[in-house]
Amino acid sequence: MAWKRMALQGWGRVTRAETLASRPERQREVAPLLLAPEAAPGLIAYGGGRSYGDVALNSGGATLLTQRLNRLLDFVPDTGLLVCEAGVTFQDILRTFLPRGYAAPVSPGTAFVTIGGAIANDVHGKNHDRHGSFGDHLAWIELVLPDGRLVRASREEEAELFAATIGGLGLTGLILRAAFHLQKAPSTHFVVHERRLPDLQSFMAAFAEVRRQATYSVGWIDGVARGGQLGRGILQTAEYATGEVPRARPARERRMPVDLPALALNRHSVRLFNEAYFRRVPAAGRERILPVEQFLYPLDAVLDWNRLYGKRGFYQLQCVLPDAAAERGLPALMERVAEAGAASFLAVLKTLGERGRGYLSFPLPGFTLALDLPARPETPALMAQLEAMILDHGGRVYLAKDACLSPEGFRRMYPELPHLQAVLQRVDPAGRMRSDMARRLQIHGAA
Ligand SMILES: Cc1cc2nc3c(=O)[nH]c(=O)nc-3n(C[C@H](O)[C@H](O)[C@H](O)COP(=O)(O)OP(=O)(O)OC[C@H]3O[C@@H](n4cnc5c(N)ncnc54)[C@H](O)[C@@H]3O)c2cc1C
């Protein structure tokens, strides 16, 4: 239960925080830590550290590291209801349950995310059109409020606190336990279809067709192609395999041995990489049978791939544009990024279905685009231009990835903020839960 000075950073390595951190091992240690004098300047939870920006950082304040609160507590095979501590990761779930025929209903693109982090950002996966976001599958959560009280929240009980905590950026208290339904997984493998799309228009048309049929879909876009090739890439769709599957080979994890020097990642090297990536799928397309984790978490094969962008790090911009605006808005955004020479490796394009249950849930029906932008002195100015363009198209930026959004832009993108603020007034009038993002976006007031 000791507190220790520590430097933490966001996954993009642009945002850092000096903080006083403690790593509880048991649930009963959490309330006393929340009330400890060390936490008085404000406290936030830090889960798997997979958010790119400052949502889990608390400079000059305190941080609770939740990864040791990672016990699976109960499982009912008939209903698939799992109860677990909030530090359990998607990797824990996959390794324990996939061999038994169950999987998380919704999963982000890395298995190192914790359940607490998945709730606090209401994460989505490659099946959002079909299965919504993580909050849609929660039966209940139990959290320690900033005053040390333990409460259960669900759609029926403490419904406003429930909606404020889903996508609530960790500001309503510390999630201790959660109950949610795993889904039946008929195989440990997916049948994955891949096809090349020559430009953004054909990509979006292909998505329009597959989003209602395929359970999983994701697009990998060449972030540097321009002109007639703007938005070209590979569309993958997947379903659980039904027949024989190849015998699983033990997964190999690689590490990025060093930070790549900033110069190594220039427009030329990215172009070569992207060209090779595009051509690896034959023009006629292909079908492969892949282990579930290889399809869901392709980037996890290289453990600390965020070092690819060198010591200066990178920003990730993920936005969603409503369906009606996406056809005009997405090319405009991609052209602006390409014009600025902000070499992005692969960008990710997905479709989203219904809105989330949380007041600050990110999803809305439309197209979501995620781009990595290497950190350079001019990048924040570019991000500000992109923010304005996203607003003009009625879209919003995903806070799990954000380090740049303005408080005013945030308010226009998330009009339900006053509902969250009302809950925070009730459960945390002294504002004990704090983060660098909450201060930057003035979540508790002002702007
Ligand atoms: C390679 C990669 C791919 C990704 N793909 C996707 C994707 O496909 N879809 C998607 O939605 N996101 C995606 N993300 C983003 C990621 O899912 C979110 O940022 C997620 O919230 C990270 O969870 P974490 O456990 O790492 O928590 P952190 O990043 O450490 O924290 C995130 C938030 O959760 C809060 N929190 C954590 N634990 C608790 C707790 N016990 N109680 C209260 N609050 C808590 C923190 O305070 C913070 O506000 C991806 C990230 C990476 C690096």
Side-chain angles (χ1 to χ4, degrees), residues 11 44-52 55-56 66 86-87 107-110 112-118 120-126 165 168-171 173-176 299-300 305 316 318 350 398 400-401 433:
W11 184 250
I44 197 74
Y46 185 92
R50 257 52 186 192
S51 297
Y52 285 68
V55 66
T66 61
S107 179
T110 166
F112 300 116
V113 166
T114 64
I115 296 306
N121 275 320
D122 193 16
V123 303
H124 59 273
K126 299 176 178 64
T165 303
L169 315 177
L171 296 173
L174 197 114
I175 304 160
L176 267 193
L299 292 169
D300 287 356
W305 63 263
Q316 184 167 97
Q318 181 171 357
K350 289 184 293 205
Y398 189 12
K401 311 285 179 83
M433 302 303 291

Side-chain angles (χ1 to χ4, degrees), residues 148-167:
R149 271 183 305 138
L150 179 71
V151 284
R152 182 176 282 209
S154 66
R155 279 180 227 177
E156 295 79 34
E157 214 176 333
E158 286 279 6
E160 284 167 355
L161 179 62
F162 190 61
T165 303
I166 296 173

Side-chain angles (χ1 to χ4, degrees), residues 197-279:
L197 276 316
D199 55 36
L200 193 56
Q201 216 185 355
S202 48
F203 222 129
M204 293 177 71
F207 257 123
E209 179 197 310
V210 300
R211 71 192 289 190
R212 306 275 166 237
Q213 298 152 13
T215 311
Y216 295 88
S217 55
V218 58
W220 302 93
I221 287 192
D222 176 349
V224 287
R226 297 184 64 177
Q229 295 186 327
L230 184 86
R232 71 170 182 172
I234 291 167
L235 174 64
Q236 294 183 318
T237 54
E239 305 294 337
Y240 278 108
T242 45
E244 281 273 301
V245 295
R247 250 172 21 124
R249 270 185 290 157
R252 262 203 302 166
E253 280 167 347
R254 295 162 213 258
R255 293 204 90 94
M256 274 293 289
V258 289
D259 291 306
L260 221 58
L263 278 178
L265 201 74
N266 54 36
R267 238 191 274 191
H268 187 62
S269 58
V270 171
R271 187 163 289 132
L272 284 176
F273 171 86
N274 284 3
E275 182 69 31
Y277 187 86
F278 185 66
R279 304 251 163 240

Side-chain angles (χ1 to χ4, degrees), residues 135-157:
D136 292 320
H137 301 273
L138 281 171
W140 51 260
I141 48 182
E142 277 177 355
L143 66 165
V144 183
L145 296 181
D147 64 7
R149 271 183 305 138
L150 179 71
V151 284
R152 182 176 282 209
S154 66
R155 279 180 227 177
E156 295 79 34
E157 214 176 333

Side-chain angles (χ1 to χ4, degrees), residues 343-382:
S344 178
F345 262 119
L346 297 172
V348 178
L349 184 67
K350 289 184 293 205
T351 52
L352 298 178
E354 293 304 305
R355 283 169 190 270
R357 283 173 196 279
Y359 298 136
L360 298 193
S361 285
F362 167 68
L364 50 83
F367 280 81
T368 177
L369 176 70
L371 299 155
D372 292 345
L373 306 171
R376 300 196 188 120
E378 64 276 16
T379 315
L382 172 63

